[in-house]
Amino acid sequence: MSDPSAFSRHDPVTPLDLQQEIADIFNREPVEAQPDAIIDVQCGDGRFLEEAFQTIRTRTARGRRLEDLPVRLIGVDDDPQNVDATARRLTGLPHAAVLAPRNRPDVRGIALQQVGVTSERKALHVHRFSGSFHGDGESWQQHIQALARSVGQSRLLMLEDHAAHQLSAEAFITLAAGVGLFNDGRVKRHPRSSDPCRVSLHVLAKRDYVIRHAAEADLERLCELEELCWQHTRTPRERILSRLRDYPQGHFVLEKDGRVLGVIYSQRIPA
């Protein structure tokens, strides 16, 4: 079975934060627009789902409507023993326990379809610690892109352990924005006031645009955007190109339907 310390090693703060996010989501109005299922990837023995249900039942507006607006609890794990344990723990509650790989969103999506969950259905997907996934920035981009496709228009509650997979919180947010996933509110980080960030908590939702690093391939469009500015503020083509080459990680474009609609530049200032 999965290592039971994988979650508890970050106690006592992160479990409370997760349950608070659950409470916030299921207190939003209108209640009818809330998720109709919680999908816990790497569910272990189902304890988190059981606690989430109790949070909803006792602390939220949805809890007063569970008879006519039930919340289905869906546990996903790649360990058959965990799947069985989840099914036993959630007996008596609306639930499903699914055997599927944790780091294959495409395969997991097929398994979820078999229990009635599609990308069009409102759900809250919960991912706690992706430390078992390792790769470079490009691999992470592909992984998050597959994840975005699998959740569709549903929300994604992610607790990321940056110390485990050596991807910084800032890099994670940038990669997510590059596939159209944006935080629905402020990111919570642990520790809260010191660097580096070891653990971050996100509530991500899909938008109809992406924000990514600007590239030399965008140069013509960036020059077109400059023409829309006041004449005395326009930046010459050569300077834009120099920006892209000298500090490529400091500039971002907003792209919708394959067209760049906006750009923001930054520069480093020596200490």
Side-chain angles (χ1 to χ4, degrees):
M1 297 178 68
S2 295
D3 178 8
S5 68
F7 185 60
S8 61
R9 70 173 180 269
H10 295 289
D11 286 349
V13 289
T14 50
L16 296 178
D17 286 340
L18 274 170
Q19 293 303 329
Q20 184 58 54
E21 291 293 347
I22 295 289
D24 290 345
I25 290 169
F26 286 92
N27 266 319
R28 294 177 180 174
E29 297 289 348
V31 173
E32 291 78 6
Q34 294 175 2
D36 55 17
I38 300 177
I39 302 169
D40 185 14
V41 177
Q42 196 177 347
C43 61
D45 64 359
R47 179 169 64 93
F48 171 80
L49 285 170
E50 182 182 46
E51 292 175 351
F53 182 82
Q54 293 304 321
T55 294
I56 295 169
R57 185 179 66 83
T58 61
R59 296 174 53 192
T60 72
R62 182 65 168 273
R64 297 187 289 273
R65 299 280 305 275
L66 287 176
E67 287 192 9
D68 61 306
L69 290 173
V71 177
R72 194 179 184 203
L73 310 173
I74 301 174
V76 180
D77 207 289
D78 55 7
D79 187 325
Q81 295 183 59
N82 284 342
V83 173
D84 291 342
T86 295
R88 290 193 300 270
R89 181 180 287 273
L90 300 180
T91 299
L93 300 175
H95 77 278
V98 178
L99 182 67
R102 69 183 71 172
N103 287 325
R104 289 288 307 279
D106 50 347
V107 177
R108 185 170 63 246
I110 295 172
L112 287 172
Q113 288 178 17
Q114 295 175 353
V115 295
V117 178
T118 66
S119 59
E120 291 79 23
R121 187 171 181 175
K122 300 190 303 294
L124 176 65
H125 294 249
V126 180
H127 289 247
R128 294 171 292 144
F129 307 126
S130 299
S132 58
F133 181 83
H134 297 278
D136 55 18
E138 184 176 353
S139 298
W140 267 99
Q141 184 86 12
Q142 294 171 354
H143 177 69
I144 296 176
Q145 192 167 42
L147 190 59
R149 287 196 300 268
S150 70
V151 302
Q153 297 305 310
S154 296
R155 280 189 169 83
L156 183 59
L157 178 58
M158 296 192 72
L159 188 63
E160 282 298 318
D161 186 347
H162 304 288
H165 52 57
Q166 297 182 336
L167 182 77
S168 71
E170 294 80 8
F172 174 79
I173 292 171
T174 300
L175 290 173
V179 298
L181 289 174
F182 295 88
N183 275 281
D184 187 11
R186 181 174 61 86
V187 178
K188 291 184 174 65
R189 53 165 290 154
H190 309 284
R192 287 181 167 83
S193 59
S194 62
D195 290 327
C197 175
R198 293 187 64 252
V199 178
S200 61
L201 178 59
H202 309 258
V203 181
L204 299 165
K206 192 79 167 64
R207 299 182 187 174
D208 62 355
Y209 59 86
V210 303
I211 293 179
R212 58 169 176 80
H213 284 117
E216 289 190 38
D218 300 313
L219 183 59
E220 292 301 326
R221 178 56 181 161
L222 299 182
C223 291
E224 291 176 5
L225 292 176
E226 286 296 323
E227 292 299 316
L228 302 176
C229 300
W230 287 321
Q231 186 171 4
H232 68 280
T233 67
R234 293 173 187 168
T235 302
R237 177 189 182 94
E238 294 75 15
R239 185 172 297 176
I240 295 175
L241 180 60
S242 177
R243 288 173 177 172
L244 299 177
R245 289 177 174 175
D246 294 344
Y247 188 35
Q249 67 271 38
H251 320 298
F252 294 87
V253 295
L254 186 151
E255 181 181 290
K256 182 177 180 179
D257 298 328
R259 182 172 174 80
V260 172
L261 301 180
V263 60
I264 183 169
Y265 302 105
S266 66
Q267 65 179 0
R268 280 183 172 175
I269 299 176

